[in-house]
Amino acid sequence: SNPPAAIDNVSVIEVSCPTVANITADPDDITDNSAVITWTERGNALAWEVIVSATEVTDLASATAVPVTEPSYTATGLEAETLYHVYVRANCGTDDNSEWVSSNFTTVAACATPDGLVANNVSATSATITWNGYTATNWTLEYQLGTADEWTPVTDLTAATYTMTTTDNTTYNVRVKAVCGVDEESDY
């Protein structure tokens, strides 16, 4: 009365050194010449190897890997506005490494245009404007009333936030640029 059953050949392979997961370079930790890369350890490894390259690496065995003892690595000496390939593998002991896992990120411009412009805590009398400022330490914010031609500048901001005074039921346009040095500014 039971239906027939079939069993295929099944293999169970123990992986002694699992691959890492979630290799990321958080946009807040990427500059024009560096990036903080993190990953998640899925086994018991206490050491890893990292390769960061501006070109795709096809022969990982012959590439120079950097050994690290934390699931994080800060790549330095990078070029601005460049796509980088990251390769990470776990080292679980002598001759016991995981497979390589890859990801990528792009460095920002030397004087990167701020992005992520957001208005928070908006009330009838004020709004707090925030943005991702990347490597800049000084910004110029400009705002205008909805359809006005003139922009009102707020210069020498030293934090990526500004609380502006507003008028109830009024639309504002806001833009921000980085000021990275003498005659060095980003676009809005």
Side-chain angles (χ1 to χ4, degrees):
S1 69
N2 290 330
I7 297 177
D8 285 334
N9 292 334
V10 176
S11 296
V12 176
I13 300 172
E14 180 180 349
V15 176
S16 62
C17 195
T19 58
V20 301
N22 305 318
I23 300 172
T24 58
D26 186 307
D28 290 339
D29 295 326
I30 299 173
T31 70
D32 60 325
N33 62 8
S34 69
V36 177
I37 302 156
T38 60
W39 55 89
T40 303
E41 169 57 32
R42 298 184 324 136
N44 295 316
L46 299 176
W48 299 266
E49 293 178 310
V50 181
I51 298 169
V52 178
S53 175
T55 58
E56 194 168 351
V57 179
T58 56
D59 184 9
L60 293 166
S62 66
T64 302
V66 177
V68 297
T69 56
E70 296 291 329
S72 173
Y73 175 69
T74 301
T76 59
L78 307 179
E79 295 292 322
E81 298 182 276
T82 302
L83 173 69
Y84 282 90
H85 304 272
V86 180
Y87 306 88
V88 179
R89 74 175 177 179
N91 179 332
C92 299
T94 304
D95 296 324
D96 189 14
N97 295 314
S98 73
E99 296 295 319
W100 289 98
V101 178
S102 65
S103 185
N104 58 54
F105 65 90
T106 301
T107 51
V108 299
C111 190
T113 301
D115 64 9
L117 192 66
V118 176
N120 294 306
N121 302 320
V122 177
S123 73
T125 59
S126 68
T128 300
I129 311 300
T130 61
W131 57 91
N132 183 347
Y134 297 107
T135 59
T137 57
N138 193 287
W139 298 270
T140 295
L141 177 138
E142 292 185 345
Y143 64 91
Q144 70 179 176
L145 296 175
T147 58
D149 292 331
E150 297 294 319
W151 289 89
T152 301
V154 180
T155 60
D156 295 323
L157 296 172
T158 57
T161 184
Y162 177 71
T163 300
M164 60 185 286
T165 302
T166 60
T167 302
D168 198 18
N169 294 317
T170 303
T171 300
Y172 292 86
N173 296 313
V174 178
R175 63 186 186 183
V176 66
K177 69 178 176 183
V179 180
C180 301
V182 177
D183 297 326
E184 186 180 3
E185 297 178 343
S186 71
D187 294 330
Y188 281 102

